[in-house]
């Protein structure tokens, strides 16, 4: 499986951070090279509505060329906002950056009266055309050398612009640029991290045929790119320059790429940690229930369970008189550090998703808000900006007011918080590598077991990489400079923060490559000591795949003269860790939001991916069951609002209720108490046994007679549920059958995740 991260991201950062050069056939200030996307998803379409754009969807569009469209509701909202904007000017209401100027010209009257009057219409068209064409000169180099960064910015802007008042032609052209793969030449600098005016101004210039752009990766004049793609330059109108450029989409788009790639690096960090534990012949006691019960924190407990699941079946759980009682702290505490980094990552992800789905635009345009909706709206100050409604707004009323929504917090803070957490994780990674060199911890020298096998000489490199990461973790000092007539006196430096964070993730991949080399060598040692040893399914699969790329005994260099560390880094960046371990979601599940309990339907436990697959079939049969007087209900212990959000995302219609803290799930033997789990003994699947997990899967059937009395008539659990897995029945009659090779349903994803 090829990782969505891909190796091109190494070049993204260099294209942004490197100095511009002059060379033959390359314009002055141009990126020294350009990294186009691979449009492997250009047959897919992401629908934008301004509310639920995901990180994965941003990456689909930005990195893999998926197309975009606005939902009918989004188009309607934009049309209403646009009408309110025109009506506000017609009613004489001052509107920032429309009939009034911007910045220090905020009180300057740009025109008066109806914007559609002949005189005003001509003036506005002329002014807007000039501003859009001038956008080709905004910002400063070097140029962005990565197509995915520009596309990420554009899709984020297209989504959030639903909340604003663009003209129909502006809104459509932004979609057309993405769908035709016209990627404007954009300068990487010239934004202060709140209001990426220069970068979006470069995009606006291409819309009117000014400046330059790449058409499917080929550079040309922007007007030629439009012509070759069958598009006509737009005539912007109203407040289109404001509608396009008043946004943090440049930083938000890059932050979405950061979140996506950071997840990849954290998943590899966890899997390599499992490899290290096997290589060190570690004591697994820090991960055990007895330790976790002393610190009942959801991320710490989740991560310990995650790593335990990876190494389940490993020789580490066998008795070994030579195993030391306590590992070095860097190994013992890695789960805590990595859990904390996941927590910071999740907070960053949530902030980026929030930023991408809300308005960071000034002014705020809100149709339908009335003076009676909140006390302050009826005050004389706010009534100055109340649009009563008229022909331009089709009678609709609302408010248009100035604001500070362009200040990109909390996202800007959480970017830096994540890098701090990542650096604290990485120091443990670096130290783990060094501890493998000390027989005090390993109990033996590698050369004593595998004579002639060299570590390779890379003692300096991990330390150097960690020092680089440490240099990136220091927060950018808060700064304010009173510019634009002293009106714009606060800056957020989000461009710098985001680029530093992406570099830290990239460098972490490089650091982990050395850890993978060392941990894999020591798994070779442990296997040579006792060929019967097992390491757990996921570590074994990753180790075996890595050995195909970097065979044991190659030392520091491979036969093709590529260094082992470079080969390892390439392996990590081109192969998703989820190829070997899919995991079981997060404690605050990033996709379903089903935290605090696992779904259970009538009583069927919707456990993570595999049971979501089963639930995909419910709606199809439910309509038939109803006609036989049979009702299907899903029951979960999670809060109802989380269930409702997940059901909406998955497009399910079946009834799904929350049992909360009631005893229903426990009464029907699919949920188990901490005491039962600690004892390893509970009644499950018609026998007293270890249920394996505190939440299990099952079906239960009930009958209500004429008097309203309810009887429990049937239950099944575990493999007894397989009769409800319709997908397996079809696979079983296919030529290759299930084709899982004993790995179970490793291939399953949620139905909207395949191909991402």
């Amino acid at each position: 499986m090829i990782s969505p991260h891909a190796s091109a991201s190494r070049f993204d950062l260099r294209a942004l951070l490197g100095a511009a050069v002059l060379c033959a056939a390359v314009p002055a200030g141009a990126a020294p090279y350009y990294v186009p996307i691979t449009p492997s998803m250009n047959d897919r379409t992401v629908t934008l509505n301004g509310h639920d754009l995901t990180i994965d969807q941003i990456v689909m569009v930005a990195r893999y060329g998926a197309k975009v469209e606005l939902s009918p509701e989004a188009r309607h909202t934009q049309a209403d906002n646009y009408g309110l904007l025109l009506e506000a000017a017609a009613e004489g209401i001052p509107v920032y950056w429309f009939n009034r100027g911007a910045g220090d010209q905020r009180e300057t009257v740009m025109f008066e009266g109806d914007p559609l009057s002949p005189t005003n219409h001509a003036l506005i068209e002329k002014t807007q055309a000039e501003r859009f064409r001038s956008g080709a000169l905004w910002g400063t180099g070097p140029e962005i050398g990565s197509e995915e960064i520009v596309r990420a910015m554009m899709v984020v802007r297209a989504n959030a612009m639903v909340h604003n008042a663009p003209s129909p032609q502006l809104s459509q052209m932004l979609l057309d640029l993405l769908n035709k793969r016209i990627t404007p030449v954009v300068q990487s600098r010239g934004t202060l991290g709140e209001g990426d005016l220069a970068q979006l101004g470069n995009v606006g210039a291409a819309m009117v045929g000014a400046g330059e752009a790449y058409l499917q990766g080929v550079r040309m004049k922007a007007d030629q790119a439009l012509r070759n793609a069958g598009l006509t330059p737009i005539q912007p109108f109203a407040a289109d320059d404001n509608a396009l450029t008043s946004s943090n989409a440049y930083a938000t788009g890059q932050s979405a790429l950061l979140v996506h790639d950071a997840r990849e690096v954290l998943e590899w960090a966890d899997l390599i940690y499992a490899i290290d534990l096997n290589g060190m012949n570690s004591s697994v006691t820090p991960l055990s229930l007895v330790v976790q019960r002393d610190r009942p924190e959801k991320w710490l407990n989740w991560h310990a369970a995650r790593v335990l699941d990876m190494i389940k079946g490993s020789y580490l759980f066998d008795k070994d008189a030579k195993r030391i009682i306590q590992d070095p702290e860097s190994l013992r505490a890695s789960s805590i550090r990595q859990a904390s980094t996941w927590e910071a990552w999740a907070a960053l992800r949530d902030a980026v998703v929030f930023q991408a789905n809300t308005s960071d635009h000034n002014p705020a345009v809100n149709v339908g808000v009335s003076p009676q909706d909140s006390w302050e709206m009826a005050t004389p100050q706010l009534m100055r900006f109340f649009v009563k409604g008229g022909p331009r707004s089709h009678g609709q009323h609302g408010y248009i007011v100035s604001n500070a929504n362009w200040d990109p917090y909390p996202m800007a803070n959480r970017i830096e918080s994540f890098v701090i957490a990542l650096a604290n994780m990485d120091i443990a990674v670096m130290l783990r590598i060094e501890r493998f060199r000390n027989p005090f911890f390993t109990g033996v020298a590698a050369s004593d077991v595998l004579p002639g096998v060299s570590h390779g000489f890379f003692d300096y490199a991990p330390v150097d990489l960690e020092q680089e990461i440490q240099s990136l973790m220091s927060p950018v000092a808060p700064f304010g400079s009173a510019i634009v007539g002293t009106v714009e006196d606060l800056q957020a430096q989000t461009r710098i923060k985001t680029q530093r964070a992406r570099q830290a993730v990239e460098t972490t991949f490089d650091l982990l490559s050395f850890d993978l080399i060392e941990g894999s060598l020591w798994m070779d040692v442990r296997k040579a000591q006792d060929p019967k040893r097992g390491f757990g399914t996921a570590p074994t699969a990753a180790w075996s795949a890595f050995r195909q790329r970097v065979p044991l005994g190659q030392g520091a260099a491979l036969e093709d003269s590529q260094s082992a560390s470079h080969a390892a880094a390439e392996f990590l960046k081109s192969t998703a860790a989820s190829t070997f371990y899919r995991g079981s979601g997060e404690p605050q599940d990033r996709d379903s939001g089903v935290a605090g309990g696992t779904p259970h339907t009538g009583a069927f436990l919707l456990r993570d991916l595999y049971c979501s697959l089963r639930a995909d079939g419910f709606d199809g049969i439910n309509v038939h069951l109803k006609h036989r007087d049979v009702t299907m209900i899903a029951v979960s212990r999670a809060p109802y609002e989380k269930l409702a959000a997940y059901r909406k995302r998955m497009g399910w219609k079946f009834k799904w209720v929350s049992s909360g803290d009631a005893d229903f799930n426990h009464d029907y033997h699919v949920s188990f108490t901490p005491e039962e789990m600690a004892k390893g003994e509970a009644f499950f699947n018609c026998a007293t046994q270890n249920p394996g997990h505190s939440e299990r899967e099952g079906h239960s059937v009930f009958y209500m007679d004429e008097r309203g009395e309810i009887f429990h008539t049937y239950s099944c659990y575990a493999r007894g549920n397989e009769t409800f897995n319709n997908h397996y029945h079809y696979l079983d009659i296919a030529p290759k059958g299930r084709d899982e090779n004993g790995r179970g349903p490793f291939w399953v994803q949620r139905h909207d995740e395949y191909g991402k």
Side-chain angles (χ1 to χ4, degrees), residues 494-540:
T494 320
R495 171 187 72 84
I496 301 171
K497 295 173 183 178
T498 304
Q499 291 172 3
R500 282 159 55 105
R502 295 193 74 200
Q503 184 181 348
V505 168
E506 195 69 23
T507 306
T508 298
F509 267 114
D510 293 333
L511 178 62
L512 286 171
S513 71
F514 289 100
D515 194 11
L516 177 60
I517 292 171
E518 197 69 33
S520 295
L521 170 63
W522 279 92
M523 280 181 65
D524 293 317
V525 170
R526 302 308 179 188
K527 196 69 171 179
Q529 287 178 319
D530 184 352
K532 295 180 181 179
R533 280 174 169 166
F535 302 118
T537 302
T540 300

Side-chain angles (χ1 to χ4, degrees), residues 446-447 450-456 517-518 520-525 543 546-559 562-564:
S447 57
L450 298 173
V453 174
S454 171
H455 283 280
I517 292 171
E518 197 69 33
S520 295
L521 170 63
W522 279 92
M523 280 181 65
D524 293 317
V525 170
W543 169 55
F546 178 61
R547 277 288 170 249
Q548 292 180 25
R549 178 65 186 92
V550 183
L552 175 65
Q554 292 295 321
L558 306 181
E559 292 181 0
Q562 184 183 31
S563 72

Side-chain angles (χ1 to χ4, degrees), residues 243-528:
L244 177 64
T245 65
S246 180
S247 167
N248 297 297
Y250 178 43
T252 306
Q254 288 186 82
S255 295
L257 297 174
L258 163 67
V259 169
H260 182 274
D261 297 345
R263 175 181 169 183
E264 292 286 327
V265 85
L266 292 181
E267 289 184 342
W268 263 120
D270 290 348
L271 188 49
I272 294 172
Y273 177 47
I275 289 173
D276 284 353
L277 291 171
N278 277 296
M280 187 66 78
N281 189 13
S282 290
S283 170
V284 296
T285 58
L287 304 172
S288 67
L289 176 65
V290 65
V291 174
Q292 298 307 311
R293 290 186 69 178
D294 276 358
R295 299 191 75 193
E297 197 279 332
K298 65 181 181 181
W299 286 97
L300 299 182
N301 302 156
W302 165 80
H303 195 269
R306 173 177 168 86
V307 177
L308 279 174
D309 193 43
M310 289 181 181
I311 60 176
K312 188 175 182 179
S314 168
Y315 79 105
L316 297 177
F317 297 95
D318 299 335
K319 186 176 181 180
D320 185 345
K322 295 183 179 180
R323 183 176 296 129
I324 59 177
I325 192 171
Q326 181 166 283
D327 290 320
E329 189 171 354
S330 55
L331 215 65
R332 276 182 288 139
S334 280
S335 178
I336 295 172
R337 300 268 177 130
Q338 288 171 216
S340 300
T341 310
W342 274 109
E343 181 182 32
W345 173 87
L348 171 60
R349 174 206 59 208
D350 293 347
V352 174
V353 170
F354 172 79
Q355 187 77 23
N357 286 288
T358 57
S359 177
D360 53 5
H361 179 79
N362 184 21
V365 182
N366 213 307
V367 175
V369 177
S370 301
Q372 62 267 28
D373 288 345
S374 183
W375 68 265
E376 77 278 7
M377 305 310 299
T379 63
Q381 169 63 15
L382 269 297
M383 288 299 294
R384 289 183 60 201
F385 308 105
F386 177 60
V387 184
K388 298 179 180 66
R392 302 304 182 206
S393 65
H394 305 289
Q396 296 190 92
H397 65 270
Y399 284 83
I400 302 179
V401 299
S402 176
N403 63 79
N405 284 345
W406 36 257
D407 208 23
Y409 293 85
M411 184 181 76
N413 282 344
R414 290 183 181 171
I415 292 169
E416 294 190 304
S417 296
F418 170 73
V419 178
I420 291 170
L422 186 68
N424 279 277
M425 179 193 86
D426 285 342
I427 186 63
V429 173
M430 185 205 77
L431 292 170
R432 291 198 317 244
I433 297 170
E434 294 302 317
R435 296 296 84 81
F436 276 112
R437 307 302 180 87
N438 191 344
F440 178 76
F441 297 111
T442 61
V444 65
S447 57
D448 292 341
V449 180
L450 298 173
V453 174
S454 171
H455 283 280
F457 185 78
F458 52 71
D459 287 23
Y460 285 3
V463 177
D464 178 45
L465 294 172
E466 174 57 22
Q467 288 176 344
E468 179 180 321
I469 293 165
Q470 291 291 333
S471 74
L472 296 168
M473 72 170 280
S474 299
V476 179
F479 186 76
S481 180
I483 58 176
V484 190
T486 74
V487 172
E488 300 180 13
D489 58 354
L490 192 63
Q491 292 86 46
Q493 303 90 28
T494 320
R495 171 187 72 84
I496 301 171
K497 295 173 183 178
T498 304
Q499 291 172 3
R500 282 159 55 105
R502 295 193 74 200
Q503 184 181 348
V505 168
E506 195 69 23
T507 306
T508 298
F509 267 114
D510 293 333
L511 178 62
L512 286 171
S513 71
F514 289 100
D515 194 11
L516 177 60
I517 292 171
E518 197 69 33
S520 295
L521 170 63
W522 279 92
M523 280 181 65
D524 293 317
V525 170
R526 302 308 179 188
K527 196 69 171 179

Side-chain angles (χ1 to χ4, degrees), residues 54 136 145 281 316 324 372 576 606 631 655 665 673 700 709 735:
T54 68
N281 189 13
L316 297 177
I324 59 177
Q372 62 267 28
L606 223 79
T631 301
K655 190 172 183 179
N665 295 51
T673 66
S700 288
E709 295 187 37

Side-chain angles (χ1 to χ4, degrees), residues 41 44 613 747-756:
M41 292 188 181
R44 302 181 65 173
L613 171 67
W747 51 275
V748 173
Q749 298 184 47
R750 294 178 178 88
H751 63 238
D752 59 355
E753 292 177 338
Y754 286 107
K756 293 184 181 180

Side-chain angles (χ1 to χ4, degrees), residues 191 202 226 294 523 693-694 707:
T191 172
N202 296 156
L226 294 175
D294 276 358
M523 280 181 65
H693 297 279
S694 61
R707 298 185 303 275

